[in-house]
């Protein structure tokens, strides 16, 4: 008799890089004959892809692992695996291994290509396995992936980060920068576009470093230029870019190419030079403003967005005011705002003058109130305009409507109509909120 169909369920925390790794995990599981489960309860194997960027990301992971214990009690054959960034910490691995016997497999960020073999071993031996590598062995090989979308895809161009911003755990869990060969990226994008993909997002912790580790003289701007030659590629995005490495050449290339979207995500982190220095960001407030001005001059229709951390060690009310002033000056389209979270092993976690939680929260709410107001005012200027939207699917909050994004990455909602998902349409904006534009197809 044939075995019943085996099913997998993957739970992902964190950034696009993790989402993309989860697509690869899905691809590898399908290659060993697992099928996607619609509900977690049906799964024979559950993988959790973890994030460790801030403490609350970790708390959510532990909560989820605890929740899954019940499923294991009902089904002792269930395999539970936990992988990704958080597992690069010995402390987290030990805690998980000792306190959560329901977890069968622990793997890290450098060996996801081993997961199918590890699963096969667990199926055969019913043993618990921990396999985490301290370092990368070159690039993770190209892996098959199961894409969430038929018309949008992620393509990894560089792994790791060499910047060592003092608050950030990424360089420790993702290793050093390793660029993927130019030709491999071009081939993958060409293949995706031939399959009908309209929007590609190039992924890397710091895409502006692309090519620095090559013998040849190739940089990120060259890559964008080459990809732009693919005729049926409508939209090209990338993340994340570091303001320090964002050259004027790159702005020019973005201006001159058809596909690269008019959206600049440039994490400022703080508006105070003193704090930027302590963060080891490698640019000043003045340099950042110069970059923003150049972008506004060359690509006036572009959206500019950012990431900001409040409550970095030693941040005074004056430092914070400089962040507030910068936000008022730049008027970002939107901003991701974070409370500083000390990460074990990073220099900032050992700095004196850690800021009390209540002050951090109070600063965050002031900053968010300001940014929400600016986002709303910017969106109000969109009323009556026509924007180009790639319709992605039903909107989360209201199944009577569809959601998509315009080239500047602004979220747009339209009334539901058949045949629009995956299409690029023109939408006239007739209502706005801080985070959302509403309109009708014209
Ligand atoms: N605490 C708070 N925010 C952080 N980020 C990175 N590390 C930390 C930390 N320890 C934020 C930065 C980065 C974004 C992805 O997450 O703003 O740009
Ligand atoms: Fe972290 Fe800085 Fe690298 Fe971004 S550039 S991943 S914030 S160390």
């Amino acid at each position: 008799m044939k075995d019943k169909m085996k099913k997998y369920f993957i739970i992902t925390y964190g950034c696009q890089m993790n989402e993309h790794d989860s697509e690869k995990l899905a691809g590898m599981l399908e290659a060993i004959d697992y099928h996607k489960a619609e509900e977690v309860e049906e799964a024979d194997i559950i993988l959790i892809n973890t994030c460790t960027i801030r403490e609350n990301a970790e708390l959510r992971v532990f909560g989820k692992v605890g929740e899954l214990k019940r499923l294991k009690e009902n089904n002792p054959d269930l395999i539970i695996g936990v992988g990704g960034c958080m597992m690069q910490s010995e402390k987290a691995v030990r805690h998980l291994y000792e306190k959560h016997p329901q977890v069968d497999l622990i793997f890290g960020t450098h060996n996801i290509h081993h997961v199918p073999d590890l699963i096969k071993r667990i199926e055969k031996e019913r043993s618990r396995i921990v396999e985490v590598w301290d370092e990368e062995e070159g690039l993770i090989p190209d892996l098959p992936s199961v894409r969430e979308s038929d018309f949008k895809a992620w393509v990894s161009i560089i792994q790791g980060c060499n910047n060592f911003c003092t608050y950030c755990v990424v360089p420790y869990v993702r290793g050093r920068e390793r660029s993927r060969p130019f030709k491999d990226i071009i081939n993958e994008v060409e293949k995706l576009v031939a399959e009908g993909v309209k929007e590609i997002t190039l992924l890397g912790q710091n895409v502006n470093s692309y090519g620095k580790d090559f013998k040849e003289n190739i940089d990120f701007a060259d890559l964008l230029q080459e990809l732009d030659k693919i005729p049926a590629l409508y939209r090209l995005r990338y993340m994340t870019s570091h303001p320090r490495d964002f050259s004027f050449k790159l702005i020019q290339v973005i201006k001159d190419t058809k596909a690269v979207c008019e959206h600049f995500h440039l994490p400022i982190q703080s508006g105070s030079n003193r704090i930027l220095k302590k963060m080891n960001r490698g640019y000043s407030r003045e340099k950042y403003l110069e970059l923003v001005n150049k972008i506004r001059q060359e690509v006036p229709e572009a959206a500019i967005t950012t990431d900001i951390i409040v409550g970095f060690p030693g941040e005074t009310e004056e430092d914070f005011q400089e962040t507030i002033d910068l936000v008022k000056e730049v008027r970002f389209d939107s901003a991701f705002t974070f409370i500083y979270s000390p990460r074990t092993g990073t220099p900032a976690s050992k700095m004196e003058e850690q800021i009390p939680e209540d002050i951090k929260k109070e600063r965050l709410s002031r900053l968010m109130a300001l940014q929400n107001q600016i986002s709303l005012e910017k969106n109000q200027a969109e009323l009556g305009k026509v924007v180009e939207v790639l319709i992605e699917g039903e909107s989360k909050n209201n199944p009577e409507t569809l959601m998509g994004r315009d080239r500047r990455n602004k979220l747009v909602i339209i009334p539901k109509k058949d045949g629009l998902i995956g299409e690029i349409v023109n939408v006239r904006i007739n209502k706005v909120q801080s985070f959302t534009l509403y309109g009708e197809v014209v």
Side-chain angles (χ1 to χ4, degrees):
M1 203 180 78
K2 216 170 156 252
D3 271 348
K4 100 174 205 316
M5 199 162 78
K6 292 183 295 182
K7 292 190 173 172
Y8 70 89
F9 194 88
I10 302 177
I11 301 163
T12 309
Y13 294 94
C15 63
Q16 276 83 354
M17 198 79 66
N18 262 20
E19 303 251 3
H20 188 40
D21 281 349
S22 290
E23 291 186 340
K24 293 179 189 167
L25 288 167
M28 289 186 287
L29 288 171
E30 298 206 352
I32 58 169
D33 240 8
Y34 277 86
H35 299 260
K36 187 175 171 177
E38 290 309 320
E39 309 288 340
V40 67
E41 286 81 10
E42 308 166 5
D44 300 283
I45 178 159
I46 302 170
L47 296 182
I48 306 182
N49 195 359
T50 63
C51 172
T52 182
I53 194 99
R54 284 170 292 273
E55 191 188 9
N56 51 18
E58 295 205 346
L59 297 176
R60 283 169 65 206
V61 169
F62 283 125
K64 185 51 90 178
V65 173
E67 232 175 77
L68 297 181
K69 194 167 182 183
R70 170 183 64 84
L71 295 179
K72 184 85 164 198
E73 283 161 2
N74 295 342
N75 172 16
D77 289 335
L78 174 66
I79 296 175
I80 300 179
V82 184
C85 294
M86 197 176 146
M87 297 301 105
Q88 291 300 128
S89 141
E90 220 179 289
K91 197 170 133 212
V93 169
R94 190 165 311 128
H95 177 91
L96 209 61
Y97 193 82
E98 285 168 6
K99 297 280 182 330
H100 294 277
Q102 71 274 29
V103 174
D104 304 281
L105 168 64
I106 295 177
F107 57 97
T109 55
H110 301 304
N111 62 337
I112 63 168
H113 51 299
H114 280 196
V115 165
D117 285 341
L118 300 175
I119 289 172
K120 281 189 208 148
R121 249 172 69 197
I122 294 173
E123 284 175 335
K124 213 157 82 201
E125 301 164 11
R126 292 306 319 179
S127 53
R128 299 178 79 197
I129 299 180
V130 178
E131 192 187 289
V132 178
W133 300 356
D134 282 345
E135 276 175 48
E136 65 276 12
E137 279 184 354
L139 283 164
I140 293 171
D142 290 354
L143 299 168
S145 68
V146 175
R147 270 185 283 118
E148 282 287 317
S149 158
D150 292 332
F151 43 85
K152 275 176 52 165
W154 288 306
V155 172
S156 160
I157 65 164
I158 179 168
Q159 291 167 12
C161 181
N162 290 356
N163 286 319
F164 290 94
C165 301
T166 54
Y167 51 82
C168 186
V169 74
V170 166
Y172 306 92
V173 298
R174 290 276 180 177
R176 293 297 67 70
E177 285 171 0
R178 291 144 282 146
S179 303
R180 200 170 154 207
F182 195 75
K183 202 72 210 132
D184 290 8
I185 299 170
I186 307 288
N187 288 346
E188 180 174 354
V189 174
E190 277 175 345
K191 191 168 150 269
L192 288 165
V193 170
E195 286 169 13
V197 168
K198 292 181 174 149
E199 178 178 305
I200 298 276
T201 303
L202 305 175
L203 290 181
Q205 246 76 44
N206 180 10
V207 292
N208 304 102
S209 285
Y210 179 76
K212 282 186 188 164
D213 49 342
F214 289 158
K215 280 195 214 79
E216 313 93 293
N217 203 357
I218 290 178
D219 66 12
F220 181 57
D222 300 327
L223 181 66
L224 291 182
Q225 242 166 348
E226 193 61 30
L227 290 172
D228 193 63
K229 293 183 189 154
I230 302 173
L233 176 58
Y234 293 98
R235 289 178 170 194
L236 188 52
R237 300 186 188 277
Y238 51 88
M239 66 180 328
T240 304
S241 47
H242 195 300
R244 183 198 58 211
D245 303 322
F246 213 100
S247 63
F248 289 173
K249 170 184 171 192
L250 186 54
I251 298 173
Q252 208 55 47
V253 166
I254 293 171
K255 180 182 174 183
D256 295 341
T257 45
K258 67 167 193 333
V260 184
C261 288
E262 295 73 33
H263 173 210
F264 293 78
H265 183 69
L266 295 167
I268 174 82
Q269 312 299 3
S270 167
S272 151
N273 281 337
R274 213 174 62 81
I275 297 297
L276 286 171
K277 200 161 188 153
K278 286 182 80 177
M279 288 176 162
N280 189 31
R281 288 294 286 175
Y283 54 84
S284 62
R285 168 196 183 93
E286 292 73 25
K287 271 270 167 240
Y288 186 90
L289 289 172
E290 189 187 323
L291 179 62
V292 166
N293 288 337
K294 185 82 184 165
I295 292 169
R296 292 247 160 94
Q297 207 179 329
E298 298 297 323
V299 199
E301 71 279 23
I304 302 181
T305 60
T306 200
D307 294 348
I308 300 170
I309 298 175
V310 301
F312 185 84
E315 184 186 73
T316 61
E317 177 60 27
E318 289 71 45
D319 293 316
F320 177 66
Q321 271 308 324
E322 294 198 40
T323 299
I324 291 279
D325 291 344
L326 182 129
V327 166
K328 284 183 185 161
E329 185 170 343
V330 176
R331 294 181 62 80
F332 294 105
D333 288 82
S334 66
F336 294 108
T337 50
F338 305 104
I339 284 185
Y340 168 71
S341 170
R343 311 311 297 135
T344 313
T346 60
S349 69
K350 296 181 215 104
M351 287 177 189
E352 286 166 17
E353 303 180 278
Q354 297 286 329
I355 307 296
E357 235 18 68
D358 53 338
I359 296 186
K360 289 194 218 175
K361 283 192 185 140
E362 191 270 331
R363 286 184 189 160
L364 181 75
S365 62
R366 270 193 282 161
L367 177 60
M368 285 172 72
L370 170 64
Q371 182 54 51
N372 288 353
Q373 182 57 33
I374 294 172
S375 296
L376 181 61
E377 286 166 13
K378 290 219 133 190
N379 282 350
Q380 276 160 350
E382 298 291 311
L383 280 167
K385 286 192 191 161
V386 174
V387 297
E388 184 211 277
V389 183
L390 171 58
I391 304 294
E392 297 180 14
E394 263 179 24
S395 68
K396 278 199 197 99
N397 305 328
N398 179 359
E400 295 302 299
T401 60
L402 297 174
M403 61 77 62
R405 293 198 176 261
D406 81 351
R407 291 182 61 88
R408 298 162 302 170
N409 210 34
K410 288 187 190 268
L411 179 64
V412 182
I413 306 280
I414 60 167
K416 192 166 193 173
K417 236 176 39 204
D418 287 342
L420 289 184
I421 294 175
E423 296 302 317
I424 293 176
V425 294
N426 287 323
V427 173
R428 188 183 302 281
I429 303 305
N430 55 27
K431 189 180 120 187
V432 303
Q433 290 170 347
S434 284
F435 308 110
T436 322
L437 306 177
Y438 298 83
E440 304 254 2
V441 176
V442 290

